[in-house]
Amino acid sequence: MPASDPARALVLAEPLALLTYAVRYQEFLDGIEPSERVYHEGDPADAIRAALRSARNPSPYLAAAGTPTGTE
């Protein structure tokens, strides 16, 4: 699409991917034995914190995507 901004889409996708991880971690926790939960209970919250960090400070690699790096 002529008006699309793939680099911006990557920046927006990073925190969304991390939120997806948080949901998957919680689904994992919901299906394991209570005695095993202690090892993984913080995983969903960690993924949410990472999503918030990436929303505030996008990866410089993603933020620079689409920026020409070579000479013309």
Side-chain angles (χ1 to χ4, degrees):
M1 307 227 72
S4 68
D5 186 352
R8 178 72 179 137
L10 285 173
V11 169
L12 294 173
E14 183 181 23
L16 294 176
L18 291 165
L19 290 174
T20 300
Y21 293 152
V23 171
R24 294 291 171 243
Y25 286 139
Q26 187 59 54
E27 290 173 344
F28 169 73
L29 283 172
D30 292 345
I32 64 174
E33 296 179 28
S35 63
E36 296 295 318
R37 289 181 64 94
V38 66
Y39 303 109
H40 304 283
E41 273 189 307
D43 293 349
D46 289 343
I48 291 170
R49 284 188 205 95
L52 291 171
R53 277 191 306 273
S54 73
R56 284 190 300 264
N57 300 308
S59 164
Y61 301 108
L62 294 178
T67 302
T69 56
T71 58
E72 297 175 53

